């Protein structure tokens, strides 16, 4: 297998993975739909940072520890589940408390939560605390590295393909989210979106905790 064939084949696999609705899509779409463009791009960059780190660690052989060590996998799995459950529960609790319906609180929340760094941190933690991403890279990435090619360099090159596709998909999501902004000017609509997203995130956390 040549490098060009490996790149196209890997792009097809991760492209389908990127288009599959999941936690990353929900986070980006929800953040952008609320009008927090800086934070939305922070989430995008955080997710791609996580992918880059997983790809680099896999290329170095470090993430093989996740499959070789049950303890390492379980620690990361429970940490990720706890983080997702906390994030989802916080969204749900805020909507029932009505904090998002209050104008002053909402303005303050948008200001405090609208930074690029906060979005980046949320995206990076969500990705890095998901051991299934690491296991995916351990299982899939080495299969697309041609024999005789530099393992680390080729692994990073393949990872960059995944990052590029993720960025393109995120651009489409953020553009689509602008269509929803008018509807989301209504407090009830904003609460509905947060309840849906919070439920999805908590559901991912529960699924991760149960080991499904």
């Amino acid at each position: 297998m040549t490098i060009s064939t490996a790149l196209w084949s890997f792009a097809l696999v991760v492209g389908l993975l990127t288009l599959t609705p999941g936690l990353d899509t929900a986070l980006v779409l929800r953040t952008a739909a609320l009008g927090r463009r800086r934070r939305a791009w922070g989430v995008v960059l955080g997710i791609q940072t996580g992918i880059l780190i997983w790809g680099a660690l896999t290329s170095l052989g470090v993430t093989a520890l996740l499959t070789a060590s049950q303890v390492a996998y379980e620690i990361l799995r429970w940490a990720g589940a706890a983080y997702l459950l906390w994030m989802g529960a916080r969204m749900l609790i805020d909507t029932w408390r009505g904090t998002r319906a209050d104008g002053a609180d909402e303005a303050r929340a948008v200001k405090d939560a609208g930074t690029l760094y906060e979005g980046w941190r949320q995206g990076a933690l969500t990705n890095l605390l998901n051991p299934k991403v690491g296991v995916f890279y351990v299982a899939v990435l080495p299969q697309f590295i041609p024999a005789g090619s530099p393992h680390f360099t080729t692994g990073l090159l393949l990872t960059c393909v995944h990052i590029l596709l993720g960025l393109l998909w995120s651009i489409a999501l953020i553009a689509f989210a602008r269509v929803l902004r008018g509807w989301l000017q209504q407090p009830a609509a904003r609460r509905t979106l947060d309840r849906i997203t919070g439920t999805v995130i908590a559901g991912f956390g529960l699924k991760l905790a149960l080991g499904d």
Side-chain angles (χ1 to χ4, degrees), residues 1 30 94 130 140 194 206:
M1 180 169 57
R30 178 256 181 188
D94 281 350
N130 187 352
V140 175
D194 269 4
L206 185 59

Side-chain angles (χ1 to χ4, degrees), residues 24-36:
D24 293 348
T25 298
L27 277 177
V28 173
L29 191 58
R30 178 256 181 188
T31 308
L34 290 177
R36 303 171 184 174

Side-chain angles (χ1 to χ4, degrees), residues 1-26:
M1 180 169 57
T2 64
I3 291 183
S4 60
T5 301
L7 289 174
W8 283 110
S9 301
F10 187 72
L12 177 61
V13 172
V14 295
L16 293 173
L17 179 66
T18 300
L19 292 175
T20 302
L23 179 59
D24 293 348
T25 298

